[in-house]
Amino acid sequence: MKNKAQNDQQGLAQLFTRGDVFSDKCPSRAVLNHVTSRWGVLVLVALKDGQTHRFSELRRAITGVSEKMLAQTLQTLAQDGFVLRTAYPVVPPHVEYSLTPLGMDASDRVADLIGWVEDNIHHIVSVQTAAD
């Protein structure tokens, strides 16, 4: 038997055939914010290899992220259906993260943008330097 939250989510999903990020009422704007946030982009690309990773591995891979921000980002991406969180009932706790098929698709698209930025960083820095 489905609970009220599941019924509400399914009803909301049926309202949208396609998102509209220019509408302040469309949930796609919030999802776009999650995916393209400072840490969201890096988490998606760090998990892109298709392997499962522990929290500490991700923290080492994404230099500069605090434990709190990484935990929040992983939780948000999991709630959006991009990240799968698997917790094992052992002591000490063992939790692994991986991408869902939806997350892999998003990761591929974000990785393309990252690749473009990395390929063109010398041009971008030149323009920034000239502007100063």
Side-chain angles (χ1 to χ4, degrees):
M1 178 178 241
K2 294 180 182 176
N3 65 30
K4 183 178 177 348
Q6 288 173 323
N7 286 336
D8 289 348
Q9 286 177 339
Q10 287 180 342
L12 184 62
Q14 290 174 356
L15 291 175
F16 298 98
T17 55
R18 187 170 196 282
D20 179 8
V21 295
F22 291 103
S23 169
D24 62 347
K25 295 180 179 24
C26 184
S28 63
R29 187 180 288 187
V31 174
L32 179 65
N33 186 44
H34 301 160
V35 170
T36 61
S37 71
R38 178 179 186 180
W39 305 117
V41 167
L42 298 175
V43 165
L44 287 171
V45 174
L47 291 171
K48 187 175 176 3
D49 63 6
Q51 304 297 313
T52 59
H53 294 275
R54 296 194 62 182
F55 185 90
S56 58
E57 293 172 328
L58 291 171
R59 182 129 191 269
R60 279 191 300 274
I62 305 170
T63 57
V65 67
S66 68
E67 286 186 23
K68 178 182 176 182
M69 285 309 304
L70 181 56
Q72 287 177 352
T73 301
L74 287 164
Q75 181 181 24
T76 300
L77 292 174
Q79 288 171 344
D80 288 342
F82 297 117
V83 170
L84 176 65
R85 180 184 187 273
T86 306
Y88 298 95
V90 295
V91 177
H94 181 92
V95 180
E96 294 180 339
Y97 298 92
S98 60
L99 291 177
T100 65
L102 188 64
M104 282 299 279
D105 190 25
S107 178
D108 287 341
R109 294 165 192 268
V110 168
D112 286 343
L113 178 60
I114 288 173
W116 180 88
V117 169
E118 289 177 338
D119 289 344
N120 290 282
I121 193 62
H122 61 284
H123 296 298
I124 296 166
V125 170
S126 294
V127 171
Q128 290 173 338
T129 304
D132 291 339

